[in-house]
Amino acid sequence: MKKINSADSATKEMLKLAQEASIQTIWERSELQEPHCGFGILGLCCKNCNLGPCRIDPFGEGAQYGVCGADKDIIAARNLLRHTVAGSACHNDHGRDLTLALLALAEGKTEGYRIKAEDKLKEVAKEYGVSVENRPLNAITKDLAEKILAEYGQQSGELVFVRRAPKKRRELWRKLGIMPRGIDREITEALSRTNIGVDNDYKSLVNATMKVALSDGWGGSMVATEVSDVLFGLPEPVRSQANLGVLKEDEVNIIVHGHVPLLSDVVAETAMEEALIAKAKAKGAKGINITGICCTANEILVRKGIPVAGNFLQQELALVTGAVDLMLVDLQCVMPSLAKVASCYHTKIVSTHEKARFPGVEHVEFKEEEAVTTARRLIEEAIENFPKRDKARVHIPKEKTDIVVGFTAEGVFHHLGGRYRSTYLPLNNAIIEGRIRGVVAVVGCDNPKNESGGSHIAMVKELLAHDVLVVQTGCAAVACGKAGLLQPEAALKYAGLGLREVCEAVGIPPVLHSGACVDNSRILIECCNILNEGGLGEDFSDLPVAGAAPEWMAEKAIAIGWYAVASGIFVLFGSSLPVLGSDNLTRYITKDIFDIVGAGWSFESDPVKGAHIIIDHVNKKREKLKLRPMLHPPITVDNKEMAAVV
């Protein structure tokens, strides 16, 4: 077994334990796949019809065309579009599930739900043309839910939330023919284009890629975020903890894992019932401990301050602690291997979503009309399982790090301007005056090909040293949280002097946790607010901002990257998209497309080098805007301690 590739000491500890117990994890499975298929990495294989499968020889010595005549440009572009479709479909369906729950609530068919953000409900309703004055809340809710659901099947027109984008950007989308008309329509049309003999122009396929991605970023993802806020409440800054050490040896441990917060939110609230706590104590436990993995964890973290046990790569390792009595999973990023790992312990795994089943796992269909009843039943199963633990095999790492999370687009107004002077002006001024160089979103999954979060940490530290304010979501945020970067005190140790001044004045960490991966839509809205405040251009492509995913893993990441690029925001990935087999396509998305949409892609595996590519991009945007020079030079590894004393 090769050296464990992780930046997190708790992960290393549990991986060693798993290896000693002969339990295979994602690290071993990743190694067994090496070397990875070169054709797949380059995007040069096609299995879209029964003439093949076909592949193109990247060295030019073998086949240069598929059986149908498709060349490397066509094959790579079709594959790229299909990846983006799958990723967008996940986010769009996430938004649909939440909207259906909102409708069920309005119709009185749910159990345990209520509108927790009435003001936001009314604001969004107005955007959709729903009358809110002197109307019952249920009527407003029902009308809004029905209008959102209608957008999924909409055949013409434009999505409502695209109106939030700058006028200049909307005009460009219309000119290029990439303005999304309806959410499901763009998914269907994109898949249609990739069939044999349909769209065979790689530039046209890239346009379709941007169009379907925009239906995600300005459609399904934004819907999911806004409806989650309405149903579960607006996140606010809250202190919590992250890493496997949040599991408790003397309590019933329940882990929620996945992405849709409909069940996890109810489980978190129901677990506080005195009757259930009494049952747990009767079984010898001191209480009930709810924690999470992946983005479901982020959802209840930012709204309730419930600790997060870990990110994507730690889901198996949480079970190896021997202390998890129940893991509830819904969908997205849930490893099929969990059942096999759980079989080595007393842990029960229960799947809950109609779209996600797992062999060897009990399935309890979750329905909103029985939410509390189902949550109570599942919690009772965990309580009954608690005495079955093998105490000799319980091994919980001590690592758990304090974090501050819950920074939203709405919240930034108050953090920067105060309750009575809510404004983005201090942020804009800090950028204009040279205290903050720019703002960069570092998001995405963690990947065993990288240093399991280490790439996120290295990139973020380098950005902070150069006075870049970092915004994060998803597993990337958890990785940096475990490294202590989500604490206000982190500004003293890692931030350049200008960024540090701002963080100290406002009382925020230099890295802002904004939610789950679907909440990247919040970052789009934050960019809108920066533009609306003035002084930094008229379009996203004018702003000194960028996005990065140093350890991207899922097709959802491709969709997120593409809706950022299509919106005019530069994106860097830590490993390339599967396009390098096509010189034309690679050149098009990394160079030519900048002249078309004002942004494009870059790929760099070294996170520090990647950070400097981003910094160079931000500097060029500052120069074009004719902003003042930075007030302070960047700090370095050698002078960080000195900077903390200045």
Side-chain angles (χ1 to χ4, degrees):
M1 178 54 56
K2 66 180 181 181
K3 183 180 177 181
I4 296 169
N5 197 20
S6 174
D8 175 51
S9 57
T11 296
K12 291 179 180 178
E13 180 180 339
M14 297 313 299
L15 269 174
K16 183 178 179 182
L17 191 66
Q19 290 171 6
E20 290 172 354
S22 298
I23 296 173
Q24 190 183 71
T25 67
I26 189 170
W27 276 268
E28 287 82 15
R29 294 191 298 273
S30 178
E31 185 177 13
L32 289 170
Q33 289 295 329
E34 295 176 357
H36 294 278
C37 173
F39 296 104
I41 291 172
L42 297 175
L44 294 181
C45 51
C46 179
K47 52 185 177 59
N48 292 5
C49 75
N50 197 36
L51 293 174
C54 300
R55 62 180 185 269
I56 304 299
D57 184 350
F59 303 106
E61 298 174 359
Q64 294 302 296
Y65 300 93
V67 176
C68 73
D71 61 16
K72 57 187 178 183
D73 299 336
I74 297 169
I75 291 174
R78 286 194 310 210
N79 289 339
L80 182 62
L81 176 52
R82 285 202 165 202
H83 284 310
T84 308
V85 167
S88 297
C90 266
H91 286 152
N92 289 340
D93 235 18
H94 184 157
R96 189 199 321 264
D97 286 344
L98 287 161
T99 307
L100 287 169
L102 187 69
L103 179 61
L105 170 62
E107 295 175 342
K109 297 177 180 178
T110 63
E111 183 183 66
Y113 296 104
R114 61 185 176 84
I115 301 299
K116 292 185 179 178
E118 291 188 17
D119 288 345
K120 183 152 194 177
L121 170 72
K122 292 177 181 178
E123 289 170 9
V124 176
K126 288 177 183 177
E127 287 187 79
Y128 275 86
V130 174
S131 175
V132 300
E133 299 301 326
N134 302 315
R135 297 188 68 207
L137 199 62
N138 272 10
I140 298 170
T141 304
K142 187 173 188 296
D143 286 353
L144 173 59
E146 288 177 342
K147 281 184 174 289
I148 293 174
L149 290 172
E151 278 197 306
Y152 278 82
Q154 187 170 290
Q155 300 303 304
S156 60
E158 299 175 358
L159 302 181
V160 168
F161 285 146
V162 299
R163 299 173 193 161
R164 296 175 171 182
K167 180 181 179 182
K168 188 175 180 180
R169 180 58 43 174
R170 284 180 276 135
E171 290 173 347
L172 179 61
W173 288 339
R174 294 184 190 114
K175 178 183 176 182
L176 295 175
I178 62 173
M179 175 70 81
R181 299 155 295 183
I183 296 172
D184 288 346
R185 171 161 189 184
E186 306 311 344
I187 295 285
T188 302
E189 182 178 293
L191 279 177
S192 172
R193 285 175 180 269
T194 63
N195 269 265
I196 178 174
V198 183
D199 196 342
N200 295 294
D201 182 299
Y202 72 89
K203 294 180 181 178
S204 175
L205 288 164
V206 168
N207 268 11
T209 299
M210 290 191 287
K211 193 173 188 177
V212 75
L214 289 171
S215 80
D216 171 355
W218 296 91
S221 279
M222 203 165 282
V223 164
T225 294
E226 302 292 67
V227 175
S228 290
D229 285 350
V230 168
L231 283 173
F232 309 122
L234 281 168
E236 294 182 353
V238 61
R239 286 190 176 272
S240 189
Q241 293 180 317
N243 218 334
L244 293 170
V246 303
L247 294 170
K248 297 181 180 179
E249 192 168 350
D250 54 2
E251 294 193 19
V252 176
N253 288 308
I254 299 174
I255 289 182
V256 293
H257 174 25
H259 281 73
V260 182
L262 288 168
L263 175 61
S264 57
D265 191 87
V266 177
V267 167
E269 293 195 353
T270 305
M272 294 187 290
E273 291 181 359
E274 289 297 329
L276 288 173
I277 294 173
K279 286 184 178 181
K281 290 180 177 179
K283 292 292 182 179
K286 289 186 178 179
I288 301 170
N289 182 39
I290 306 294
T291 184
I293 294 282
C294 261
C295 281
T296 296
N298 281 310
E299 296 277 11
I300 58 176
L301 169 68
V302 297
R303 293 188 174 89
K304 301 179 183 299
I306 291 175
V308 54
N311 37 12
F312 171 72
L313 289 181
Q314 289 179 295
Q315 58 187 279
E316 294 169 308
L317 304 182
L319 305 186
V320 177
T321 65
V324 178
D325 303 296
L326 176 67
M327 177 179 278
L328 297 175
V329 303
D330 47 62
L331 76 173
Q332 297 182 31
C333 298
V334 180
M335 294 184 195
S337 62
L338 288 175
K340 189 171 184 179
V341 178
S343 69
C344 300
Y345 301 91
H346 79 298
T347 306
K348 291 193 68 171
I349 298 183
V350 177
S351 60
T352 61
H353 202 285
E354 61 179 350
K355 291 192 285 283
R357 305 291 182 104
F358 303 86
V361 169
E362 178 186 354
H363 185 78
V364 176
E365 192 83 7
F366 170 72
K367 298 183 183 300
E368 288 80 6
E369 56 264 40
E370 299 173 348
V372 175
T373 302
T374 303
R376 193 175 290 126
R377 169 191 162 187
L378 293 170
I379 294 168
E380 287 174 345
E381 283 194 32
I383 293 170
E384 291 298 319
N385 204 29
F386 174 78
K388 298 177 184 178
R389 282 188 197 174
D390 183 348
K391 294 183 179 180
R393 299 187 69 198
V394 172
H395 183 107
I396 302 174
K398 294 180 181 179
E399 284 83 359
K400 54 183 177 181
T401 306
D402 291 335
I403 55 178
V404 179
V405 303
F407 296 92
T408 65
E410 295 91 343
V412 171
F413 280 107
H414 299 302
H415 307 317
L416 296 175
R419 186 176 298 276
Y420 302 106
R421 193 174 66 88
S422 298
T423 175
Y424 266 64
L425 186 59
L427 174 61
N428 284 33
N429 281 347
I431 295 172
I432 292 168
E433 294 167 359
R435 286 185 172 82
I436 293 178
R437 191 178 302 271
V439 182
V440 174
V442 181
V443 301
C445 310
D446 48 338
N447 193 318
K449 293 180 179 178
N450 304 85
E451 201 191 349
S452 179
S455 296
H456 295 121
I457 296 164
M459 176 176 283
V460 168
K461 284 182 178 179
E462 194 67 19
L463 292 171
L464 296 182
H466 286 74
D467 294 294
V468 174
L469 178 66
V470 174
V471 181
Q472 291 199 290
T473 60
C475 288
V478 177
C480 288
K482 291 186 296 181
L485 296 173
L486 302 189
Q487 304 170 357
E489 298 81 4
L492 302 177
K493 188 173 183 181
Y494 300 111
L497 295 180
L499 176 59
R500 175 186 165 178
E501 289 173 1
V502 174
C503 290
E504 285 187 302
V506 179
I508 58 173
V511 180
L512 303 181
H513 184 308
S514 293
C517 61
V518 77
D519 291 326
N520 285 308
S521 57
R522 294 193 195 278
I523 299 170
L524 293 178
I525 297 170
E526 287 161 2
C527 288
C528 291
N529 292 338
I530 291 172
L531 287 171
N532 291 337
E533 190 63 53
L536 290 172
E538 300 177 342
D539 182 54
F540 296 132
S541 60
D542 298 327
L543 294 173
V545 302
E551 300 187 25
W552 76 277
M553 176 274 295
E555 290 169 312
K556 294 177 295 178
I558 299 177
I560 293 167
W562 269 114
Y563 72 61
V565 167
S567 297
I569 299 170
F570 170 70
V571 172
L572 181 140
F573 270 18
S575 56
S576 68
L577 294 173
V579 299
L580 298 186
S582 166
D583 294 338
N584 287 331
L585 180 58
T586 300
R587 181 177 59 253
Y588 189 67
I589 69 172
T590 60
K591 293 181 180 179
D592 300 348
I593 203 168
F594 281 89
D595 296 327
I596 300 170
V597 296
W601 291 84
S602 184
F603 311 120
E604 174 53 59
S605 60
D606 184 306
V608 175
K609 290 181 180 178
H612 281 277
I613 291 172
I614 292 169
I615 291 165
D616 289 344
H617 168 80
V618 169
N619 286 340
K620 288 175 183 175
K621 294 297 180 182
R622 292 184 61 86
E623 290 170 9
K624 192 170 182 179
L625 288 167
K626 298 181 180 179
L627 302 182
R628 297 178 188 174
M630 296 299 295
L631 290 176
H632 305 286
I635 64 172
T636 65
V637 173
D638 294 329
N639 66 13
K640 280 181 182 176
E641 294 299 326
M642 182 180 70
V645 177
V646 173

